[in-house]
Amino acid sequence: MISYLKMEKHVKNYVDDFMNRIIAKNPNEPEFHQAVREVVESLAPYILENPVLQKMKVLERIAEPERVIMFRVPWINDKGEVEINRGYRVQMNSAIGPYKGGIRFHSSVNLSILKFLAFEQTFKNSLTTLPMGGGKGGSDFNPKGKSDNEVMNFCQSFITELSRHIGSNIDVPAGDIGVGGREIGFMFGQYKRLRNEFTGTFTGKGIDWGGSLLRPEATGYGTSYFVQEMLATRNDTVEGKTVTISGSGNVAQYAAQKMTRLGAKVVTLSDSNGYIYDPDGLDEEKIEYVMELKNVFRGRIKEYADRYPSATYYEGQRPWHVKCDIAMPCATQNELDGDDAKALVANGCICVAEGANMPSTPEAIEVFLSHKLLYAPGKASNAGGVATSGLEMSQNSMRIAWSSEEVDAKLHAIMKNIHAACCEYGTEEDGYVNYVKGANIAGFIKVANAMLAQGIV
Ligand code: NDP
Ligand code: 2IT
């Protein structure tokens, strides 16, 4: 993002015109507008220099989903009552490969959120260098407090409808908020039963039935590798740094584990009710406890403070006012606002790497960029998850399984590549790397070239 205020007039006009059309065509979709605006602001100068992109309306086409599927998901709860949720799959862009992206189950899920996620996914998947298009799906189903039986009933109904639209060369779903190994298992089982075919149509599968080693770890690990690369541009390392992390789900857990193993001190985790601050830092044993608490017992992060007296729980608050060197938002969109960003800067934070998708508001991003922080947008720093999904697809196609060392080496190389691409396209005149601009341009070029080559489709 270049500062909107500092934009040249013709660039600002292009952005305004583009956004006016997007808003008129997609009313009541604020998250989608936010994601598109960030990309358009980065790309506008590049597009204006390349008239063919304008003439062929490449960005306009990228911002229009190829297809949106929306469907009824009826299921029966443990009391024998009928429940009805709404299911979605946004098939955003297939220029460089089959649609690929996660499934989110959360009560807040709506079309705006899934369109923003599918839009982001298109650029992110392109950055991985693997052949994957962009997609995202989900439902307003809330898995919290549901029994395994209820979750299975829901997943089976969801997939009974979605199965018509997905396939290993068509659209390959994976996990996201509220969807982990358990849900992927139920969805894969029902899909296989309906199709009578064992395929790699989902990623994030169990190790014994086609999953890749290190897929659960990949997003958090990849974000940590990206932090290492960012710090290296300033001849710095992760060792000895204090880190605040939000969330306590899949991404947060493995970001905490990898950052700790790299020698950092992780002092916070959170959930939607509050955060814990442990000034002693998390260690392997504490992280194992969090994994068991969240993944097996499906408990709340508050319980961490009951178990470890060194920690304090702050109800209803977010961790961004805690002093840190590195902040890693790993929970959800718009969880870090302009005031939080100012507090991070005032407390000496030097690096923000997003494990979540679009966790920083536009105001927060403006603060990070104007203070020249090392700031990585999610589409660059959290791409290790989908990249490893891409590696899972490759292993499924070849009917082989790589060792965790092999997968880790490939993940590490991909994160370094993404970092290098951001530097190539995002380095400004004074040497500052604007990772937002770099990620948006680098992600766009491959998709745009593919679309130009494939004609008006
Ligand atoms: P999980 O469901 O495993 O964990 C989500 C975490 O975020 C939980 O701690 C949850 O708390 C918290 N959270 C969710 N919604 C809110 C909210 N509205 N306010 C505050 N906290 C909230 O999901 P993941 O860890 O998989 O995903 C986290 C983020 O990372 C998402 O933005 C996702 O899109 C992104 N991501 C995930 C990838 C993956 O491979 N899983 C890959 C790339 C990005 P609570 O339990 O209270 O809801
Ligand atoms: O946002 C994301 O990149 C994910 N939730 C992972 C998608 C995937 O297909 O692995």
Side-chain angles (χ1 to χ4, degrees), residues 14 20 22 77 114 134 162 201 203 207 229 239 261 266 296 308 345 356 392 405 416 449:
Y14 176 85
N20 286 342
I22 287 285
N77 69 22
L114 294 179
L162 190 62
T201 299
T203 60
I207 296 306
E229 294 302 308
E239 200 159 354
R261 287 183 183 169
V266 175
V296 181
Y308 298 106
V345 171
E392 183 170 327
E405 290 75 20
K416 282 181 181 230
N449 285 339

PDB file of all heavy atoms in Angstrom, residues 14 20 22 77 114 134 162 201 203 207 229 239 261 266 296 308 345 356 392 405 416 449:
ATOM      1  N   TYR A  14      -7.601   6.484 -10.633  1.00  0.00           N
ATOM      2  CA  TYR A  14      -7.776   5.085 -11.059  1.00  0.00           C
ATOM      3  C   TYR A  14      -8.324   4.250  -9.886  1.00  0.00           C
ATOM      4  O   TYR A  14      -9.274   3.485 -10.039  1.00  0.00           O
ATOM      5  CB  TYR A  14      -6.434   4.511 -11.546  1.00  0.00           C
ATOM      6  CG  TYR A  14      -6.515   3.048 -11.901  1.00  0.00           C
ATOM      7  CD1 TYR A  14      -6.930   2.631 -13.165  1.00  0.00           C
ATOM      8  CD2 TYR A  14      -6.204   2.060 -10.956  1.00  0.00           C
ATOM      9  CE1 TYR A  14      -7.033   1.288 -13.482  1.00  0.00           C
ATOM     10  CE2 TYR A  14      -6.303   0.713 -11.268  1.00  0.00           C
ATOM     11  CZ  TYR A  14      -6.719   0.332 -12.528  1.00  0.00           C
ATOM     12  OH  TYR A  14      -6.822  -0.999 -12.827  1.00  0.00           O
ATOM     13  N   ASN A  20     -15.093   2.534  -6.716  1.00  0.00           N
ATOM     14  CA  ASN A  20     -16.515   2.910  -6.833  1.00  0.00           C
ATOM     15  C   ASN A  20     -17.293   1.821  -7.549  1.00  0.00           C
ATOM     16  O   ASN A  20     -18.418   1.490  -7.173  1.00  0.00           O
ATOM     17  CB  ASN A  20     -16.655   4.249  -7.575  1.00  0.00           C
ATOM     18  CG  ASN A  20     -16.234   5.404  -6.678  1.00  0.00           C
ATOM     19  OD1 ASN A  20     -16.173   5.257  -5.446  1.00  0.00           O
ATOM     20  ND2 ASN A  20     -15.918   6.542  -7.280  1.00  0.00           N
ATOM     21  N   ILE A  22     -16.430  -1.387  -7.761  1.00  0.00           N
ATOM     22  CA  ILE A  22     -16.466  -2.591  -6.901  1.00  0.00           C
ATOM     23  C   ILE A  22     -17.565  -2.443  -5.834  1.00  0.00           C
ATOM     24  O   ILE A  22     -18.342  -3.372  -5.577  1.00  0.00           O
ATOM     25  CB  ILE A  22     -15.088  -2.797  -6.199  1.00  0.00           C
ATOM     26  CG1 ILE A  22     -14.060  -3.294  -7.207  1.00  0.00           C
ATOM     27  CG2 ILE A  22     -15.183  -3.742  -5.006  1.00  0.00           C
ATOM     28  CD1 ILE A  22     -14.192  -4.749  -7.609  1.00  0.00           C
ATOM     29  N   ASN A  77     -29.288 -32.129  15.076  1.00  0.00           N
ATOM     30  CA  ASN A  77     -28.430 -32.055  16.261  1.00  0.00           C
ATOM     31  C   ASN A  77     -28.715 -33.218  17.220  1.00  0.00           C
ATOM     32  O   ASN A  77     -29.599 -34.051  16.968  1.00  0.00           O
ATOM     33  CB  ASN A  77     -28.532 -30.681  16.931  1.00  0.00           C
ATOM     34  CG  ASN A  77     -29.896 -30.447  17.594  1.00  0.00           C
ATOM     35  OD1 ASN A  77     -30.630 -31.383  17.932  1.00  0.00           O
ATOM     36  ND2 ASN A  77     -30.236 -29.175  17.778  1.00  0.00           N
ATOM     37  N   LEU A 114     -15.861 -14.491   2.780  1.00  0.00           N
ATOM     38  CA  LEU A 114     -15.296 -15.542   1.915  1.00  0.00           C
ATOM     39  C   LEU A 114     -14.775 -14.976   0.600  1.00  0.00           C
ATOM     40  O   LEU A 114     -13.779 -15.477   0.055  1.00  0.00           O
ATOM     41  CB  LEU A 114     -16.328 -16.641   1.677  1.00  0.00           C
ATOM     42  CG  LEU A 114     -16.672 -17.423   2.961  1.00  0.00           C
ATOM     43  CD1 LEU A 114     -17.726 -18.478   2.669  1.00  0.00           C
ATOM     44  CD2 LEU A 114     -15.438 -18.071   3.580  1.00  0.00           C
ATOM     45  N   GLY A 134      -7.254 -19.716  -6.908  1.00  0.00           N
ATOM     46  CA  GLY A 134      -7.737 -19.217  -5.615  1.00  0.00           C
ATOM     47  C   GLY A 134      -9.182 -19.588  -5.344  1.00  0.00           C
ATOM     48  O   GLY A 134     -10.041 -19.470  -6.224  1.00  0.00           O
ATOM     49  N   LEU A 162     -21.520 -29.894  -1.576  1.00  0.00           N
ATOM     50  CA  LEU A 162     -20.306 -29.330  -2.189  1.00  0.00           C
ATOM     51  C   LEU A 162     -19.597 -30.333  -3.104  1.00  0.00           C
ATOM     52  O   LEU A 162     -18.855 -29.937  -4.010  1.00  0.00           O
ATOM     53  CB  LEU A 162     -19.343 -28.826  -1.091  1.00  0.00           C
ATOM     54  CG  LEU A 162     -18.152 -28.007  -1.591  1.00  0.00           C
ATOM     55  CD1 LEU A 162     -18.622 -26.724  -2.287  1.00  0.00           C
ATOM     56  CD2 LEU A 162     -17.196 -27.670  -0.453  1.00  0.00           C
ATOM     57  N   THR A 201      -8.558 -34.846  -3.090  1.00  0.00           N
ATOM     58  CA  THR A 201      -9.429 -33.668  -3.215  1.00  0.00           C
ATOM     59  C   THR A 201      -9.366 -32.727  -2.024  1.00  0.00           C
ATOM     60  O   THR A 201      -9.711 -31.561  -2.149  1.00  0.00           O
ATOM     61  CB  THR A 201     -10.869 -34.121  -3.536  1.00  0.00           C
ATOM     62  OG1 THR A 201     -10.833 -34.810  -4.766  1.00  0.00           O
ATOM     63  CG2 THR A 201     -11.851 -32.979  -3.626  1.00  0.00           C
ATOM     64  N   THR A 203      -6.779 -31.224   1.249  1.00  0.00           N
ATOM     65  CA  THR A 203      -5.463 -31.271   1.893  1.00  0.00           C
ATOM     66  C   THR A 203      -5.650 -31.022   3.386  1.00  0.00           C
ATOM     67  O   THR A 203      -6.702 -30.550   3.816  1.00  0.00           O
ATOM     68  CB  THR A 203      -4.474 -30.264   1.282  1.00  0.00           C
ATOM     69  OG1 THR A 203      -5.009 -28.943   1.450  1.00  0.00           O
ATOM     70  CG2 THR A 203      -4.228 -30.546  -0.187  1.00  0.00           C
ATOM     71  N   ILE A 207      -2.116 -38.395   8.258  1.00  0.00           N
ATOM     72  CA  ILE A 207      -0.886 -38.949   7.677  1.00  0.00           C
ATOM     73  C   ILE A 207      -1.119 -40.342   7.081  1.00  0.00           C
ATOM     74  O   ILE A 207      -0.502 -40.714   6.085  1.00  0.00           O
ATOM     75  CB  ILE A 207       0.219 -39.023   8.766  1.00  0.00           C
ATOM     76  CG1 ILE A 207       0.574 -37.610   9.233  1.00  0.00           C
ATOM     77  CG2 ILE A 207       1.459 -39.754   8.271  1.00  0.00           C
ATOM     78  CD1 ILE A 207       0.957 -36.669   8.131  1.00  0.00           C
ATOM     79  N   GLU A 229      13.664 -14.163   7.603  1.00  0.00           N
ATOM     80  CA  GLU A 229      14.134 -13.492   6.379  1.00  0.00           C
ATOM     81  C   GLU A 229      14.027 -11.973   6.506  1.00  0.00           C
ATOM     82  O   GLU A 229      14.927 -11.238   6.100  1.00  0.00           O
ATOM     83  CB  GLU A 229      13.318 -13.952   5.166  1.00  0.00           C
ATOM     84  CG  GLU A 229      13.503 -15.410   4.792  1.00  0.00           C
ATOM     85  CD  GLU A 229      14.951 -15.756   4.496  1.00  0.00           C
ATOM     86  OE1 GLU A 229      15.566 -15.055   3.678  1.00  0.00           O
ATOM     87  OE2 GLU A 229      15.473 -16.713   5.104  1.00  0.00           O
ATOM     88  N   GLU A 239      16.617 -14.690  17.635  1.00  0.00           N
ATOM     89  CA  GLU A 239      17.119 -15.084  18.952  1.00  0.00           C
ATOM     90  C   GLU A 239      17.033 -13.955  19.978  1.00  0.00           C
ATOM     91  O   GLU A 239      17.464 -12.828  19.728  1.00  0.00           O
ATOM     92  CB  GLU A 239      18.567 -15.554  18.826  1.00  0.00           C
ATOM     93  CG  GLU A 239      18.945 -16.397  20.006  1.00  0.00           C
ATOM     94  CD  GLU A 239      20.153 -17.289  19.726  1.00  0.00           C
ATOM     95  OE1 GLU A 239      20.632 -17.335  18.581  1.00  0.00           O
ATOM     96  OE2 GLU A 239      20.588 -17.933  20.691  1.00  0.00           O
ATOM     97  N   ARG A 261      11.546 -22.333  19.385  1.00  0.00           N
ATOM     98  CA  ARG A 261      12.699 -23.173  18.996  1.00  0.00           C
ATOM     99  C   ARG A 261      13.805 -22.354  18.345  1.00  0.00           C
ATOM    100  O   ARG A 261      14.977 -22.740  18.376  1.00  0.00           O
ATOM    101  CB  ARG A 261      12.248 -24.285  18.048  1.00  0.00           C
ATOM    102  CG  ARG A 261      11.461 -25.347  18.793  1.00  0.00           C
ATOM    103  CD  ARG A 261      11.070 -26.504  17.899  1.00  0.00           C
ATOM    104  NE  ARG A 261      10.250 -27.443  18.681  1.00  0.00           N
ATOM    105  CZ  ARG A 261       9.576 -28.452  18.163  1.00  0.00           C
ATOM    106  NH1 ARG A 261       9.616 -28.684  16.870  1.00  0.00           N
ATOM    107  NH2 ARG A 261       8.865 -29.250  18.935  1.00  0.00           N
ATOM    108  N   VAL A 266       8.135 -16.143  23.495  1.00  0.00           N
ATOM    109  CA  VAL A 266       6.735 -15.842  23.176  1.00  0.00           C
ATOM    110  C   VAL A 266       5.998 -15.586  24.490  1.00  0.00           C
ATOM    111  O   VAL A 266       6.014 -16.437  25.387  1.00  0.00           O
ATOM    112  CB  VAL A 266       6.078 -17.016  22.420  1.00  0.00           C
ATOM    113  CG1 VAL A 266       4.595 -16.752  22.191  1.00  0.00           C
ATOM    114  CG2 VAL A 266       6.800 -17.255  21.094  1.00  0.00           C
ATOM    115  N   VAL A 296      -7.465 -31.144  21.926  1.00  0.00           N
ATOM    116  CA  VAL A 296      -8.090 -32.357  22.463  1.00  0.00           C
ATOM    117  C   VAL A 296      -9.307 -31.981  23.318  1.00  0.00           C
ATOM    118  O   VAL A 296     -10.408 -32.471  23.092  1.00  0.00           O
ATOM    119  CB  VAL A 296      -7.076 -33.187  23.295  1.00  0.00           C
ATOM    120  CG1 VAL A 296      -7.745 -34.455  23.833  1.00  0.00           C
ATOM    121  CG2 VAL A 296      -5.849 -33.531  22.453  1.00  0.00           C
ATOM    122  N   TYR A 308      -0.586 -22.123  34.912  1.00  0.00           N
ATOM    123  CA  TYR A 308       0.750 -21.530  35.103  1.00  0.00           C
ATOM    124  C   TYR A 308       0.624 -20.199  35.844  1.00  0.00           C
ATOM    125  O   TYR A 308       0.229 -19.186  35.244  1.00  0.00           O
ATOM    126  CB  TYR A 308       1.442 -21.324  33.751  1.00  0.00           C
ATOM    127  CG  TYR A 308       1.670 -22.623  33.015  1.00  0.00           C
ATOM    128  CD1 TYR A 308       0.898 -22.958  31.908  1.00  0.00           C
ATOM    129  CD2 TYR A 308       2.645 -23.525  33.447  1.00  0.00           C
ATOM    130  CE1 TYR A 308       1.095 -24.169  31.244  1.00  0.00           C
ATOM    131  CE2 TYR A 308       2.836 -24.735  32.794  1.00  0.00           C
ATOM    132  CZ  TYR A 308       2.055 -25.048  31.693  1.00  0.00           C
ATOM    133  OH  TYR A 308       2.242 -26.245  31.045  1.00  0.00           O
ATOM    134  N   VAL A 345       4.224   0.340  17.990  1.00  0.00           N
ATOM    135  CA  VAL A 345       5.345   1.196  17.603  1.00  0.00           C
ATOM    136  C   VAL A 345       5.923   1.902  18.836  1.00  0.00           C
ATOM    137  O   VAL A 345       7.145   1.912  19.053  1.00  0.00           O
ATOM    138  CB  VAL A 345       4.893   2.224  16.536  1.00  0.00           C
ATOM    139  CG1 VAL A 345       5.982   3.267  16.287  1.00  0.00           C
ATOM    140  CG2 VAL A 345       4.535   1.509  15.228  1.00  0.00           C
ATOM    141  N   ALA A 356      -2.445 -14.678  10.369  1.00  0.00           N
ATOM    142  CA  ALA A 356      -3.857 -14.665   9.971  1.00  0.00           C
ATOM    143  C   ALA A 356      -4.001 -13.957   8.618  1.00  0.00           C
ATOM    144  O   ALA A 356      -3.047 -13.381   8.096  1.00  0.00           O
ATOM    145  CB  ALA A 356      -4.691 -13.952  11.031  1.00  0.00           C
ATOM    146  N   GLU A 392       1.309 -31.388  -0.600  1.00  0.00           N
ATOM    147  CA  GLU A 392       0.464 -32.566  -0.343  1.00  0.00           C
ATOM    148  C   GLU A 392      -0.186 -33.032  -1.661  1.00  0.00           C
ATOM    149  O   GLU A 392      -0.247 -34.238  -1.951  1.00  0.00           O
ATOM    150  CB  GLU A 392      -0.608 -32.240   0.704  1.00  0.00           C
ATOM    151  CG  GLU A 392      -1.488 -33.428   1.086  1.00  0.00           C
ATOM    152  CD  GLU A 392      -2.380 -33.149   2.311  1.00  0.00           C
ATOM    153  OE1 GLU A 392      -1.955 -32.406   3.216  1.00  0.00           O
ATOM    154  OE2 GLU A 392      -3.496 -33.694   2.361  1.00  0.00           O
ATOM    155  N   GLU A 405      11.673 -33.917   6.879  1.00  0.00           N
ATOM    156  CA  GLU A 405      12.838 -33.086   6.515  1.00  0.00           C
ATOM    157  C   GLU A 405      12.700 -32.572   5.077  1.00  0.00           C
ATOM    158  O   GLU A 405      13.012 -31.419   4.775  1.00  0.00           O
ATOM    159  CB  GLU A 405      14.156 -33.883   6.634  1.00  0.00           C
ATOM    160  CG  GLU A 405      14.577 -34.213   8.056  1.00  0.00           C
ATOM    161  CD  GLU A 405      13.758 -35.337   8.677  1.00  0.00           C
ATOM    162  OE1 GLU A 405      13.117 -36.121   7.932  1.00  0.00           O
ATOM    163  OE2 GLU A 405      13.733 -35.421   9.918  1.00  0.00           O
ATOM    164  N   LYS A 416      11.528 -18.452   1.555  1.00  0.00           N
ATOM    165  CA  LYS A 416      12.646 -17.577   1.140  1.00  0.00           C
ATOM    166  C   LYS A 416      12.365 -16.953  -0.231  1.00  0.00           C
ATOM    167  O   LYS A 416      12.664 -15.792  -0.466  1.00  0.00           O
ATOM    168  CB  LYS A 416      13.944 -18.386   1.068  1.00  0.00           C
ATOM    169  CG  LYS A 416      14.564 -18.654   2.424  1.00  0.00           C
ATOM    170  CD  LYS A 416      15.859 -19.443   2.249  1.00  0.00           C
ATOM    171  CE  LYS A 416      16.477 -19.733   3.590  1.00  0.00           C
ATOM    172  NZ  LYS A 416      17.887 -19.398   3.681  1.00  0.00           N
ATOM    173  N   ASN A 449      -0.427 -12.665 -16.372  1.00  0.00           N
ATOM    174  CA  ASN A 449       0.142 -13.216 -17.609  1.00  0.00           C
ATOM    175  C   ASN A 449      -0.650 -14.435 -18.075  1.00  0.00           C
ATOM    176  O   ASN A 449      -0.913 -14.601 -19.264  1.00  0.00           O
ATOM    177  CB  ASN A 449       1.616 -13.584 -17.411  1.00  0.00           C
ATOM    178  CG  ASN A 449       2.494 -12.344 -17.383  1.00  0.00           C
ATOM    179  OD1 ASN A 449       2.090 -11.280 -17.875  1.00  0.00           O
ATOM    180  ND2 ASN A 449       3.673 -12.458 -16.809  1.00  0.00           N
TER     181      ASN A 449
END
